[in-house]
Amino acid sequence: MNAYLSIEHPTSSAPILISIPHSGIEIPELIQNRMNLQARRIHTDWHVDLLIKDFPFTKVSTSISRYVVDVNRSKYTSRTSTLPIIPRYDEFGIPLFKQYPSKKFQNEWIANYYSPYYNAIFEQIKLKKQNNANICLLDLHSYDDKHFKTDKIILSTRNGTTISEESFDFIVECFKKEELSIQVDMPFKGGNIVHEISKQANVEAIQIEIPYSLYLHNNKLDSQKAKSLQEKLLQVFLQIEKYYKK
C-alpha cells in the first residue's frame, strides 16, 4: 500500500466512512529540495486525525501535505484556477516551489499521491455496500476561525447536492442535540471529495469543518477542549451510523 495512505478499521461494517485529507504534513524526500523554504503552510487541518483516532469507524487519510498535493481538488480545474491539485502559492502569495513542477512531475505526483486516495475511498465503499444499502462519507476538515467571521462547525453540501434533504436534516439535529453550533455551506461549500463521492449510487457525502478554537491551542490539541469535542462528535457519528443502518 502507498506509504503515505492510511486506512484504519477497514473491516468495520458500519455504513459511514471518514475521510481526512488535510491533516498531513509530510513532504516526500524526492520533493523536499523543490520546496521554497520561504513559503508557509499554516492552513493545515492540524490533528484532526488525532481528534478522532479512537473512533471505531473506517478512516481514510493521507500524510502528504496539502501544500504538495491537495486531494480535495478537482482534476478538471482550468489552467487559470487558483486551486489546482498541486498548489502554486501559500496564503500570502509566496510560491510554494522554487520552480513549479513540469507536467511530467505533476502527472507522477497525481498518480502517486492523489489517485490512490480516491481509489481507497471507492474500494472501502464497495466493501461497505456488501453489508449496507446506503453509505455516508464524512469528510473531516478544520479551519482557523481567527480569519473568518464565524466560529461554528461548517456543514458543507455544495448547496444541497451531495446529500438528501432528509438525511441532512437528521445530521443537523444530531449536532444540535450535542449543543454544537453549526453553519451551512458558508464560507465553505464543500470540495471535490464530497462532490465526486456523492455521485456514487446510494452514497451521500458531507464535509465537516471544525474551527481551530474548538479543539486546538497554538496548533496543538487542547486536552480539555479536545476531550469534550471528541465525546460530542462520537455521539453524532454513532447516531449517523444508526440512521444509515435503517
Side-chain angles (χ1 to χ4, degrees), residues 91-109:
E91 289 77 12
F92 304 95
I94 299 172
L96 288 161
F97 301 93
K98 296 172 186 174
Q99 183 176 8
Y100 194 71
S102 66
K103 283 290 184 183
K104 175 179 179 291
F105 282 116
Q106 290 178 46
N107 290 333
E108 285 181 5
W109 297 2

Side-chain angles (χ1 to χ4, degrees), residues 99-156:
Q99 183 176 8
Y100 194 71
S102 66
K103 283 290 184 183
K104 175 179 179 291
F105 282 116
Q106 290 178 46
N107 290 333
E108 285 181 5
W109 297 2
I110 288 170
N112 291 338
Y113 311 121
Y114 179 92
S115 297
Y117 195 83
Y118 285 86
N119 293 341
I121 290 177
F122 290 136
E123 179 63 23
Q124 291 305 312
I125 287 173
K126 181 179 177 182
L127 292 172
K128 288 184 178 299
K129 282 186 173 180
Q130 296 174 7
N131 300 295
N132 301 281
N134 298 287
I135 309 295
C136 183
L137 176 91
L138 304 175
D139 192 41
L140 298 192
H141 298 255
S142 64
Y143 71 99
D144 189 348
D145 40 315
K146 293 198 304 289
H147 300 293
F148 295 89
K149 296 178 180 179
T150 182
D151 59 357
K152 296 179 180 180
I153 292 175
I154 314 298
L155 303 183
S156 305

